[in-house]
Structure formats: C-alpha cells, structure tokens
Amino acid sequence: MKKPKISILMAVYKEDKIAIKKAVDSVLNQLFRDFELIIVLDFPKNKIAIDLINNYMKKDKRIVFLKNK
C-alpha cells in the first residue's frame, strides 16, 4: 500500500450517528482522493460510532480507526 499524500484527522466523542455520517461522507466525497482518514474515538462506550465507523472501514480502505481508552 502506498503512502497517501495527506492525512485527515477526525475526532469523535459522543456525536450521534447522523453527525458522524455527515462528517465522514463529506471527507470521502472530495474530488481529491489520495488521502487517509484517521478517525479517533475518544469515548470508547460510543457503540453507535464504533459500528458505523467499522462499516465505513469495510467499504473504504483509506479509513484508519483508533480508539482511545
């Protein structure tokens, strides 16, 4: 896998599913495609966010998902 030109960092805490979806879709729908989207979950009990982000990861290999304790 080649190294992307840019990395985009997105922090998620207690946002709801709609807010997360809008943010991720906004990044993924950009015309510039050579990037990685690093999503950091700062609230590991947010199961809705975990499920949603895991589903995005299955569809798009540019997503990197990190969970803080």
Side-chain angles (χ1 to χ4, degrees), residues 8-69:
I8 302 163
L9 181 62
M10 178 182 297
V12 176
Y13 186 64
K14 290 185 179 179
E15 288 76 20
D16 63 28
K17 185 176 184 175
I18 294 170
I20 297 168
K21 186 169 174 22
K22 282 183 180 181
V24 173
D25 286 343
S26 175
V27 173
L28 295 180
N29 290 326
Q30 297 297 312
L31 292 177
F32 184 79
R33 310 296 294 165
D34 192 7
F35 64 85
E36 65 179 345
L37 173 58
I38 303 168
I39 303 173
V40 180
L41 181 62
D42 285 328
F43 184 65
K45 293 181 182 179
N46 189 343
K47 301 299 181 196
I48 292 171
I50 292 169
D51 292 342
L52 180 62
I53 296 165
N54 281 332
N55 283 332
Y56 272 108
M57 287 178 55
K58 291 176 188 174
K59 298 175 194 171
D60 198 315
K61 300 300 178 196
R62 297 174 295 174
I63 296 175
V64 177
F65 185 30
L66 306 173
K67 291 176 246 174
N68 285 332
K69 295 179 185 177

